[in-house]
Amino acid sequence: MKSKTGCKNISNLHSLIRFFYYASIVFAASGLIALVFIFSIPYSAISFERGIRGWVYSVNMPLGIGSAFFMISGEIPKNILHFIPLDMINIRAAIVVDFLISHIVPFIIVIIGLREIGNLTSDMLNKKSPFQAKYLKSLRKISYIVLLYSTLGNTLLCILISIFAADYFSVTVVFSWIGVLIGVLGYIFSDITEYGLFLQDEYDTTL
């Protein structure tokens, strides 16, 4: 009975993960398509204003179905794009660069992670052990990607905005400490589990 309940729970988890996996793909693809068309929409559909912590923007893209529209929005921190006159900013380029680095790239990382978790739950449904070397390697790679993005993502954003969207050049190093913590914890967990598998293998060999 417990086995059937556990299998049902894993099945529900697998379905939920697959749902979020495909939803993330749809969101990332929609965002990329929106960025392609942002250069062809009128400025009246773009809002780009100075806020308290940075530049706040939103773009309304009509879908051609009544009054329906697709909207992207975000905020560029002032340490990434300084408070300078608007005529010194290429607004469209700033929005494209920020939305790409701050939204699309994280979703791509999430998609990679959800794909691996989906494969893991699929193996569990097929009565295979989740503690396999291939999943530990995947976890380690994802941890590296999260660490890299958390430490260099904002710096890359700052450089790209300086090149494509502003009339000045600036490099700001800002870490996402939550991302760094997640990456470090993922790496530590993969290391500990790998060592546990090694000890188990050694024990099995001596029997």
Side-chain angles (χ1 to χ4, degrees), residues 129-149:
S129 171
F131 299 104
Q132 300 180 46
K134 62 179 180 179
Y135 293 127
L136 295 179
K137 289 179 181 177
S138 297
L139 176 59
R140 189 166 293 145
K141 287 179 183 177
I142 293 170
S143 299
Y144 285 144
I145 293 172
V146 171
L147 275 171
L148 193 64
Y149 177 78

Side-chain angles (χ1 to χ4, degrees), residues 162-193:
S162 293
I163 294 172
F164 297 107
D167 284 347
Y168 67 89
F169 186 81
S170 172
V171 177
T172 303
V173 179
V174 182
F175 292 166
S176 170
W177 293 109
I178 295 177
V180 170
L181 179 62
I182 292 172
V184 169
L185 289 177
Y187 180 82
I188 292 172
F189 178 78
S190 68
D191 242 19
I192 293 173
T193 310

